[in-house]
Amino acid sequence: MMYGNMMYGTGFSIWGVILNLLLILLVVGAVVVLLTRSGAINSESQKTADLERLNRLENEVRDTKKMVEEIRDKLDEI
């Protein structure tokens, strides 16, 4: 038996290569879109939102420290 001459579906075709590349790009694009929507990939708007949340948290910590110092000073006066 000669299996070397039997090439069922293994021929080279430019259209087949282009179709495979387009299919791969479609799958990769869909994965990136889904990851971006789920928040796994940080976009610029998410980074700015994270920075704003961090700044608000820092301000709250600073305000809490001031309040604790004021209460401590009042207790020391008493």
Side-chain angles (χ1 to χ4, degrees), residues 60-76:
E60 288 177 8
V61 168
R62 198 174 307 124
D63 291 342
T64 305
K65 282 182 179 180
K66 286 180 185 177
M67 202 171 9
V68 168
E69 288 176 4
E70 289 173 1
I71 293 173
R72 185 181 302 147
D73 290 342
K74 287 181 181 179
L75 286 174
D76 286 341

Side-chain angles (χ1 to χ4, degrees), residues 3 13 17 31 34 39 43 45 47 50 60 63 72-73 75:
Y3 292 107
S13 169
V17 171
V31 168
L34 290 174
S43 63
S45 62
K47 288 180 184 177
D50 289 343
E60 288 177 8
D63 291 342
R72 185 181 302 147
D73 290 342
L75 286 174

Side-chain angles (χ1 to χ4, degrees), residues 7-32:
M7 292 178 34
Y8 296 114
T10 60
F12 179 74
S13 169
I14 288 292
W15 297 114
V17 171
I18 291 173
L19 184 62
N20 283 334
L21 287 175
L22 288 175
L23 186 62
I24 290 170
L25 288 175
L26 179 69
V27 169
V28 169
V31 168
V32 168

